[in-house]
Structure formats: structure tokens, C-alpha cells
Amino acid sequence: MLYTRVGPHTRDLELHPSGLGRVPSELRECRTTGSVCGFCSTGCELSIHTRDGRAQGLTPSPTWPVNRGVACPKGWEALAVTQSAARATTPLLRDDGGVHRPIAWDRAMRLFADRFGAIARRHGPESVAFLSTGQIPSEEMLMLGVLAKCGMGMVHGDGNTRQCMATAVTAYKGSFGFDAPPYTYADFEQSDLIVLVGSNLCIAHPILWSRVVANRRDPAIVTLDPRMSETARASTLHLRLRPGSDLALFHGVARALIERGAVDQAFVDASTVGFESFARFVQAYDLPRVASATDLEVAQIEQFIELIAERGRASFWWTMGINQSHQGTRTAQAIINVALMTGNIGRPGTGANSITGQCNAMGSRLFSNTTALPGGYRYDDPKGRATVSRALSIDAGRFQTEPGHAYDRIVRGITQGEIKGLWIIATNPGHSWIDRRTIENALGMLDFVVVQDLFADTETARRADLVLPAAGWGEKDGTFINSERRLGRIRKVQRASGQALADFHIFRLAAAATGNGALFDTWTSPEHVFHKLKATTAGQPCDITGIEDYAMLDRHGGIQWPLPAGHPVEDQHRRLFEDGVFHHEDGRARFVFEPPRPLPETISARFPLLLNTGRGTSAQWHTTTRTQNSTVLARLHPPQAYVELHPSDAKHRCIADGDRVRVVSRRGKIHARAHVTRSVRIGEAFMAMHYATTNLVTRAQFDPHSRQPAYKACAIEIQRLE
Ligand code: SF4
């Protein structure tokens, strides 16, 4: 053993055989604290090395079962971005000239309470709303949801998680009866066939790609993506289908599998409902029809079907290519249907598996009090309201009986004059919202905007009347839940910048200022709140009442839900539905299906190209609020917005690689650098979402079931700039 941990984090540290996780000599005398990374949902643990209360550096934790001694570039730079000189260090109030001036916390909180209170008294409780995030710990999410809805009386609040995984939530609830991603990351290593749908795993989830590479079963890898992504290049089979045609493809695959007799009839009979009508429905999707709908060759589709039918264990993984499409929910359910009918669920190396995006998107799904009550209860379930009320010691009458508006409806509510005050926490819709001029207009119409974030220079914070400076990763305590349902701790190792406070403390201040201090009388530390949120899960599919305390999470390398009270942690890698019992009342999964719908915006003579958007590099995180503050990460991605277009489309427009171009849609015009590449199909283009201009051209279109924005296909033209 080359170094030891100090403090309560007591898992034995042995070096990975490859030497991964080695700690540089200058850090070996430091105190070491493990903390789950604050960027993506993979949930890697990073060991922070501190001396005299200041972080000196970090290394990926060698024994954490997720990342096993490795991290992506963002993880390595996690400290650097929070230590940036650009951090917000004091509350800021916009003056009459529009300039942000520092003010004291007590004045900031008085203004917070007075201004929101005055709006609510004048226009009603529906006139103040909040926009939350997948970036803060579950404990803080619970506090925000309780304070806003049970305390301040807000009716409408939603999270930026609506932008990344609402589709998966809706699909799982419909198919399984609960929002329950069924897998464990070990399934990547135990599959014979790994199907990646709308996922550039190499770039978006590089540590998960390392788990694919670690598979010793010689798996076939099939990638479904219109773009020749890094992942597609590394695949056995790349199905380069037409944007938005995945739903037709999976219906056709289901029909062909039935014809081949590749149905696991015993599983279908015992564990599902609706297969017969599904089988009748997919009869219309013969291979010539599907080939025509997808632009694929019949032989390619047959090869895909053959792999599903013949390979023993098939796992299906999807990300934003599905979630952010105009029919994402039904497409996700079409993937689930194929997994169910072939019995590829509940066994090692299988599953219909949504990988999510933000570090605690999974926590928001259970505890944010936005789309469901804490613990995953429905708002219209009186028994659920009573349970949550008891668990949190809050009168049941203070909980809503139906969810408030979804994100897009909140934005519309602002532009229609129904919502006058907005509290935005740890998110930057001024950059990330689809067709972002809609939110820019909305922000300009509000009477009072509060932004609570690490930085005061985001596109959104610059528009705020009041900025509340928040602590970042390494500066506060709590828990995250990763994509495979694993709870892990984030830990405070140093003071926040200036007067910035953990959101936990800001919510307590806000509660006191608004006369709701009693709500949090016993919520005196993140671990106290953890016990509250734990109590809301009793008897639910996500039951975590068996997690005794924070220290237990440390001892076991995180713990996946569920873990009911009295159950030992027997395995670090647990998947759901091994018993074939799902969460609908009858214990059976549902086949949910619908015919495909056309893309909401079609190409035309004026806008003849279809624009796809997505992640650019592993060095950029979403709106780059944090990653732009790392000089290391800045060297790992193009500094300016770029647009990928096919050589034939470039030639037609006299555009050469590197030319400055104008990207034009019905929403607006932006400038970018041309990247001429065969990675995109003829007639299509691609832009990375990390550049603030990208969403000036996207179109406000939504999956009807999940209200998730469909960022993936809008009509554009590209023109060379003289
Ligand atoms: Fe952090 Fe995600 Fe990178 Fe892991 S893969 S280090 S969780 S950003």
C-alpha cells in the first residue's frame, strides 16, 4: 500500500494492478478524502489531497467500483474549476444602471423574501416559480422542493433535468411501473452484444466506454447514430440511420425477431402484459418499409437482427440521441419492448438501459419534489402524500396534489405574464434552453430574477436582479446518485470562495427570511436531511432505509438503490428485475407502442440541411460554466463554435474546411467555423451544444409525453462568409 487515507473513509486502498490510482509523491503526505465527481452521472470517485485545509490536488480513487483509478479530463480538473478567480464571492444586487453591486447576505435574503413575497401576494402563488438542477446533492434538492412548494407556496418548479432525461423517466414509468433504470455498470463487461442508441459513449461517458473495453467476452458493438461518431468508428456495426427514424427501426426489429422465433415466450408470458397486441401492431413494419424509413440497407438491418437473435446476452443503452428527440418516450419504450420480448432484462449483461447526464440527475428523479413527490410518489396518491408527510414531519395539506408546470410551460407562463418571479438554482438556461431567445425574452419580462450559482458571469446570472453565490464541489457535503442507482458522497474539504455558501445554508437562510424557518428546525446538517429523504423511500422500489448513515456509503464503495432496512449489502453490482417482477400492481412490465411521427420541422429549399446537436469533447461540460475556467481543458477543445458538414454539401456551397460560415435557421443566424467531414451524412450538419450560439438556431419542439426538448433535428442552411 503506497498511501493511506486519514479520517472516516476507511476502505483499504490497494493500487490497481496497472498502477492506476498512483498518487504523486508530493501528495502522499496529504490528508485524502474521497468525493464523487460533480460533473457527469457516471459517478467516479476522486480522492482530494489536502494540506492545512487547502486542496493540493486530486487523483482518481483506485478502489471505487465505478472508475477503478481512472478519470476523464473534467474529473482531473474538478478542483481547478472551483478554485477559479472568476467565482462569485458575495451576493450581488443589480443597481438602477444594470450593474451588479456587492451586498451583505442579510440584505440579500431580506430582498429575496420581500420581493418574492410581494409578487405572490399581488398575483397569487402561481406567479413565483423555480428552475432547479441535476448538479446539487439530493439533500439540497429535497430542501429546495420542500421550501419552495410546502413553505413559500410555489406551485410551479422544474429542473434542468427536463432537458436531459425526462424521456427516460416517462418511458420507465410506463413500461416498468416506476422510474427504475435496471442495470449495473458490470453489465457492460458481461454482454455479448452491446447496442448503443443515440449515444457517443466514448466522448460523453468515457469511463463507461472503458468498461466496454474491459469486456472479455468479445462482444459485438452496434451503434445507431446518423453521425460517424468516435463510438461509431469503434463499433462492430454502425447503423447510420436517418435522424428520428429509430422508432420505425425498433418496430421492424421486433417484427423480424417474432418471425425468427427469437421471442423468450416463457419470460413474456410470466412477466409482461400486451405482447399479443404489440405483435399485431409491428406486423406493418416489414424490412423494406423500415429500410425506406431509416435509409438503411435491408442487409444491415438483418445483420442487427441476427446479432440480437444469436448473441446470448444483449444490452441496449441509450442517451440523448433518443431522450432529446421529438418522439423520445415512445422510442425508448420501443427499445424496452425489444429487450422484454427477448428476455434481455434482469440477467447479467442485459437490460434496456438509459444512461443519464448530470452528476445527480438520478437524485432529482427521486427527491426534487418537481415531477413527483419525494421518494418517487405520485402527487395524486393520498397514501404517498401521507407517507411523505410523516417522513418529513410536514403537514400533508402542504403538499400539492398534482405536479406544477413542466419547464417549457413555465417559460410560456412567463411570456404570458402569469409568472412574475423566478428563482434559478445551479443552471444556465440562458445558454442551454432550446431556441434560447424564448428564455432571453422571458427573463426580460420578469419582475424579479434570483440566480444562485458558482459564477455571476453566466448568460443567465448576468440577467439576474439578485445573485446568490453558492459553494461548489469540494466545498460542501451530501450525496449523489449515479446512473446505475449508486449513492455516493460528496465531501467538503475546503472553504468556499469568499462569502459563498453551500446551497444547504442558502436554503436555510431563505427559509428563515420567508418565515419558514420551522420547516428546517431539525434539518441541521446534510446527514440529518439524508435521514429524512431516506425515510420517504420506505416501502418504495427505491427504498434505501437500509443505509444506516454516510459512513456506510464509504465502507461499501457507494450503495445502489434499493437497500431496504435489514438487507445486507451482499453485492457491489446489483441489477433490477432478476426475479422477473416489475413495479406495476400486477408485477408485469407493459409493451407500450405508437406509430412514428414525422419530424416537427422539415427541410425546405431555403433550409435544406438537418442540424443535429450533441456533446463535442470530453473536456467540455454542458454550458461550460465551470469547464471554461480550466486552462488545461481549454486546450482540449476548439475555442470557437464549429459546424460539421459533408464534403459534397460544402462543395456545393464553395465552403472549405476552416472557413467562417453563417448557420441560418428560421430562429436566427450565427457564425461558426466549417469542419468539412464525412462524419455527417449528406444533407445533415452537426454542432456541439457547448457553444452559447448553438441554441440560437434550434427549434422549440418537445416530446409530447415527457415535455423534453428535442434538440436533435431542425432545418438550417450554411453560407460561406465573405
Ligand atoms: Fe467525472 Fe464523469 Fe469524468 Fe467520471 S466520467 S471523472 S464522473 S466527468
Side-chain angles (χ1 to χ4, degrees):
M1 200 183 300
L2 283 181
Y3 67 102
T4 53
R5 284 181 192 273
V6 180
H9 197 167
T10 54
R11 274 175 294 118
D12 286 343
L13 291 179
E14 290 173 6
L15 276 184
H16 189 280
S18 66
L20 296 174
R22 186 179 294 278
V23 177
S25 56
E26 67 273 18
L27 297 177
R28 284 190 199 149
E29 299 307 316
C30 289
R31 179 189 175 93
T32 298
T33 307
S35 190
V36 173
C37 176
F39 285 105
C40 92
S41 65
T42 302
C44 303
E45 192 193 64
L46 306 170
S47 296
I48 311 171
H49 307 280
T50 54
R51 188 180 295 127
D52 301 328
R54 291 298 298 172
Q56 306 296 314
L58 62 78
T59 51
S61 299
T63 58
W64 193 251
V66 171
N67 53 315
R68 306 184 299 207
V70 293
C72 83
K74 296 186 293 294
W76 279 103
E77 282 297 285
L79 274 176
V81 300
T82 52
Q83 291 172 342
S84 160
R87 286 282 300 277
T89 56
T90 177
L92 299 169
L93 179 66
R94 176 185 300 282
D95 69 14
D96 292 341
V99 178
H100 279 148
R101 306 277 184 203
I103 59 169
W105 268 108
D106 60 348
R107 185 167 172 226
M109 296 323 297
R110 270 202 312 278
L111 279 166
F112 177 96
D114 291 350
R115 296 289 302 275
F116 279 148
I119 292 170
R121 279 192 299 280
R122 179 147 185 229
H123 302 286
E126 300 208 13
S127 63
V128 180
F130 68 95
L131 293 176
S132 179
T133 179
Q135 293 289 151
I136 59 176
S138 301
E139 293 80 353
E140 294 178 346
M141 287 177 182
L142 182 70
M143 294 179 81
L144 171 59
V146 163
L147 170 61
K149 289 195 169 177
C150 304
M152 295 170 68
M154 291 188 206
V155 177
H156 307 303
D158 202 3
N160 63 5
T161 43
R162 180 75 65 176
Q163 294 162 267
C164 58
M165 52 69 196
T167 283
V169 174
T170 311
Y172 279 140
K173 284 182 178 173
S175 296
F176 296 162
F178 195 78
D179 175 21
Y183 60 96
T184 171
Y185 292 156
D187 287 318
F188 279 119
E189 294 163 5
Q190 297 168 348
S191 284
D192 299 312
L193 170 64
I194 296 169
V195 181
L196 300 166
V197 194
S199 161
N200 188 2
L201 200 72
C202 292
I203 292 299
H205 298 92
I207 304 307
L208 299 186
W209 180 254
S210 77
R211 303 295 292 261
V212 173
V213 173
N215 184 316
R216 296 284 170 262
R217 300 173 66 91
D218 189 25
I221 301 168
V222 179
T223 296
L224 280 64
D225 196 327
R227 188 165 162 255
M228 177 68 83
S229 66
E230 291 81 352
T231 308
R233 283 177 210 282
S235 298
T236 317
L237 174 66
H238 176 200
L239 296 179
R240 202 167 187 182
L241 72 181
R242 183 187 297 171
S245 65
D246 317 65
L247 183 55
L249 176 64
F250 276 97
H251 287 341
V253 166
R255 173 190 153 139
L257 287 167
I258 293 168
E259 281 175 355
R260 284 182 65 118
V263 175
D264 184 339
Q265 200 62 50
F267 179 84
V268 166
D269 291 345
S271 298
T272 70
V273 169
F275 179 68
E276 292 75 17
S277 53
F278 175 62
R280 279 195 300 278
F281 167 79
V282 295
Q283 276 309 304
Y285 294 85
D286 58 47
L287 288 192
R289 176 182 173 184
V290 172
S292 162
T294 57
D295 290 348
L296 296 171
E297 303 288 333
V298 167
Q300 289 178 298
I301 305 171
E302 284 175 334
Q303 192 183 347
F304 181 37
I305 293 160
E306 172 94 13
L307 285 167
I308 298 173
E310 298 302 325
R311 292 279 176 148
R313 302 166 171 181
S315 58
F316 302 84
W317 309 80
W318 79 87
T319 60
M320 297 311 138
I322 298 305
N323 285 351
Q324 294 179 337
S325 75
H326 73 293
Q327 50 190 355
T329 301
R330 291 293 180 255
T331 309
Q333 288 169 323
I335 297 170
I336 294 170
N337 293 341
V338 169
L340 288 173
M341 65 185 279
T342 53
N344 275 302
I345 203 130
R347 295 186 291 118
T350 67
N353 306 329
S354 155
I355 307 170
T356 196
Q358 301 182 72
C359 53
N360 200 29
M362 289 286 286
S364 82
R365 286 155 84 150
L366 293 180
F367 300 115
S368 66
N369 200 10
T370 52
T371 55
L373 285 169
Y377 286 100
R378 296 167 56 102
Y379 284 102
D380 61 2
D381 170 13
K383 188 168 149 272
R385 288 200 301 276
T387 305
V388 175
S389 152
R390 276 194 304 277
L392 301 182
S393 307
I394 296 171
D395 188 275
R398 296 176 81 170
F399 289 93
Q400 287 175 17
T401 54
E402 56 187 50
H405 288 338
Y407 204 129
D408 65 304
R409 184 64 185 82
I410 290 176
V411 175
R412 184 145 50 93
I414 298 168
T415 56
Q416 292 177 343
E418 300 158 5
I419 294 174
K420 307 275 187 187
L422 190 65
W423 184 14
I424 303 171
I425 301 98
T427 188
N428 184 13
H431 179 310
S432 65
W433 189 244
I434 197 163
D435 184 10
R436 60 173 253 214
R437 283 213 175 81
T438 55
I439 190 93
E440 286 176 0
N441 290 340
L443 289 172
M445 295 174 73
L446 287 159
D447 289 349
F448 191 52
V449 184
V450 177
V451 171
Q452 182 170 320
D453 210 335
L454 272 66
F455 296 90
D457 61 352
T458 69
E459 287 77 6
T460 311
R462 287 199 294 265
R463 307 287 300 272
D465 297 297
L466 180 65
V467 177
L468 303 176
W473 184 81
E475 299 169 344
K476 61 181 179 178
D477 295 302
T479 55
F480 287 162
I481 308 177
N482 76 354
S483 278
E484 56 166 354
R485 314 179 317 282
R486 184 179 303 277
L487 284 87
R489 287 180 72 183
I490 65 160
R491 297 157 73 109
K492 178 175 178 173
V493 296
Q494 61 184 0
R495 280 178 53 89
S497 299
Q499 297 174 32
L501 293 174
D503 298 277
F504 171 86
H505 294 298
I506 299 175
F507 296 143
R508 280 180 63 89
L509 288 177
T514 56
N516 293 294
L519 273 179
F520 296 150
D521 270 351
T522 58
W523 301 34
T524 52
S525 72
E527 191 159 11
H528 281 123
V529 183
F530 177 76
H531 289 297
K532 301 271 182 197
L533 65 83
K534 197 174 84 171
T536 68
T537 67
Q540 284 288 83
C542 58
D543 190 333
I544 52 168
T545 51
I547 302 176
E548 292 155 12
D549 52 23
Y550 275 176
M552 187 172 173
L553 294 174
D554 294 337
R555 282 198 302 279
H556 292 279
I559 295 173
Q560 292 171 283
W561 66 255
L563 189 74
H567 287 240
V569 188
E570 285 169 348
D571 192 343
Q572 266 191 331
H573 307 281
R574 288 181 292 132
R575 67 186 60 76
L576 303 179
F577 312 132
E578 288 185 329
D579 55 2
V581 177
F582 292 84
H583 297 307
H584 285 294
E585 269 188 19
D586 58 6
R588 292 162 181 255
R590 302 290 191 266
F591 284 89
V592 186
F593 48 90
E594 203 169 78
R597 290 179 297 114
L599 289 175
E601 186 173 54
T602 49
I603 55 172
S604 63
R606 202 167 145 224
F607 302 105
L609 301 171
L610 212 51
L611 177 69
N612 185 8
T613 66
R615 203 180 294 270
T617 69
S618 293
Q620 292 160 293
W621 179 248
H622 290 183
T623 65
T624 71
T625 298
R626 286 174 289 167
T627 50
Q628 69 184 344
N629 290 289
S630 158
T631 50
V632 173
L633 297 178
R635 287 199 290 271
L636 298 177
H637 61 79
Q640 298 167 322
Y642 59 94
V643 58
E644 295 179 359
L645 75 167
H646 191 275
S648 132
D649 290 321
K651 187 175 172 195
H652 183 60
R653 292 165 176 78
C654 301
I655 293 171
D657 193 50
D659 276 355
R660 282 180 52 70
V661 295
R662 184 188 295 120
V663 179
V664 190
S665 78
R666 292 183 177 89
R667 273 69 59 195
K669 300 175 184 168
I670 60 175
H671 291 180
R673 215 35 101 175
H675 179 38
V676 179
T677 170
R678 294 182 188 277
S679 293
V680 291
R681 300 181 350 142
I682 294 172
E684 293 173 13
F686 172 84
M687 293 192 75
M689 64 176 171
H690 313 292
Y691 303 94
T693 50
T694 302
N695 279 317
L696 288 170
V697 294
T698 52
R699 181 177 189 269
Q701 50 200 16
F702 303 88
D703 172 71
H705 303 287
S706 65
R707 302 309 301 165
Q708 176 153 354
Y711 289 88
K712 295 303 182 191
C714 70
I716 60 160
E717 174 59 301
I718 303 176
Q719 302 158 343
R720 189 164 75 92
L721 285 169
E722 296 304 327

